[in-house]
């Protein structure tokens, strides 16, 4: 699959459960970071001023330890 020219993908690491909870409530460091990046891209003209972002959170699952570990 190829990335569309107007697609923006941000990868952020180091977010914990509380950060994700805050983001879902529209606050916290993830929310501020995404808002800042989108505002910067709009100012630079990289995305349309009326662009509507779609945000997907992906969380890694912790590895389960088997009975034999």
């Amino acid at each position: 699959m190829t990335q569309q020219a107007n697609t923006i993908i941000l990868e952020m690491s180091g977010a914990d459960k509380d950060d994700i909870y805050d983001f879902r409530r529209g606050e916290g460091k993830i929310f501020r970071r995404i808002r800042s990046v989108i505002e910067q891209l709009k100012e630079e003209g990289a995305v349309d001023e009326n662009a509507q972002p779609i945000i997907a959170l992906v969380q890694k699952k912790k590895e389960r330890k088997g009975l034999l570990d």
Side-chain angles (χ1 to χ4, degrees):
M1 184 168 114
T2 60
Q3 181 175 336
Q4 297 291 331
N6 61 351
T7 302
I8 302 162
I9 298 175
L10 302 175
E11 185 174 332
M12 300 173 62
S13 60
D16 61 22
K17 186 176 170 180
D18 291 333
D19 295 329
I20 293 169
Y21 176 79
D22 290 342
F23 175 74
R24 287 184 175 146
R25 296 179 59 214
E27 54 191 43
K29 70 179 183 180
I30 298 173
F31 184 82
R32 288 190 302 271
R33 173 75 173 125
I34 291 172
R35 184 178 56 200
S36 172
V37 169
I38 292 171
E39 287 175 4
Q40 181 180 0
L41 291 169
K42 286 181 179 181
E43 288 173 4
E44 295 171 357
V47 295
D48 186 69
E49 191 64 34
N50 296 318
Q52 182 65 42
I54 298 173
I55 300 167
L57 294 176
V58 179
Q59 191 173 11
K60 287 185 180 180
K61 285 190 171 186
K62 293 182 181 179
E63 290 187 32
R64 294 177 56 187
K65 293 191 177 198
L67 296 174
L68 301 175
D69 288 346

